[in-house]
Amino acid sequence: MISPAPTPVAQPGRATAATNMLTVGIDVGGTKTSCVVTDADDRLLMHEVEPTHADQLAEQLAALAQRAVGRIAADASGTIAAVGVAVPGRVETNSGRIALAVNLGGRDLDLGPELERALGIPCFVEHDARAAAIWVSAQDNSAADLAYLAIGTGVSTGIVLNGQVLRGANGLAGEVGHVTADPGGALCACGLRGCLEVGAAGPHIARMARAAVASGRPTTLPAEPTTADVFRAAAAGDALATELAQDVAERLARAIRALVLTLGVNHIVIGGGVAAAGEALLGPVLAAIDAERAASPLVDAAFREATVELLSPQAEAGARGAAHIARERVSIQQQKGVATR
Ligand SMILES: [Zn+2]
């Protein structure tokens, strides 16, 4: 049985980490992988993005981290003490094992141990949305109850309650992307139909837009629209794109309502690649939430203290979170005077 690793979400890193302790943070997305290096004060020293190679994941991540170590060594700004990796799926934080990442091929992988063998420094693995949630929460002392809703190639949530990250007894807490949004909807990579993911994740927004354009309705969208095209056209007033954006926003609003009602969180942060749409996404989501609040005093009360915000993917919350977690875990190990991993 694997017990969850303690992952503080406050800011002890500033007080406990050695001043020159640098960590690498890598966020593995379904399409792209981001790598950052941050220092003991969480300042960003390096940032690199490349396409994800899911079939050679450990090798790719080792090469990325190695490159970061080489660059930092070259400019002598400090020593890299550890690597943190944020990945989707079921992540065993103690063993570094990952499984069930349906958008990365779904195979099991001893990612943490493989990276440690390749790099010779401690490597810590965390669920991507949880890594982002931990980092976002650490930026704001008032955000002790927070859900970070990541919308990219997939949809999932990182949940922080009372300042502690929630993993769940099954390790799958927050996988709202596989809660049904539309019974009878499209087939999801998880095996079910009509999951929130197939109604709101980036590739599926593009798929729905493609189908809508192919149906012959008048639109300014191209024949092969991207997700960005949809939100851009919606912002410019295209009726078909507005309808698509609104459908996505209503599905997300229902998921946000479920998070707020079941968890009692008062901070919702929408991140991931689709958040690049900015106001064209947030506006309809807030409007859909307002419509639910207007119809239900209970929902209205649940949202009275809640904030719903968008975090630009350029913030690199997942990679920053992975670097933050690596820093925290190394600090804890140093304090204990043990190096179990
Ligand atoms: Zn699913």
Side-chain angles (χ1 to χ4, degrees), residues 276-294:
E279 191 54 34
L281 172 67
L282 184 62
V285 168
L286 293 179
I289 291 170
D290 283 347
E292 292 189 344
R293 291 181 66 174

Side-chain angles (χ1 to χ4, degrees), residues 220-221 228-243 245-246 280 284:
T220 59
L221 285 171
D229 289 336
V230 173
F231 288 104
R232 217 171 8 242
D238 183 277
L240 180 61
T242 301
E243 205 175 289
Q246 200 142 358

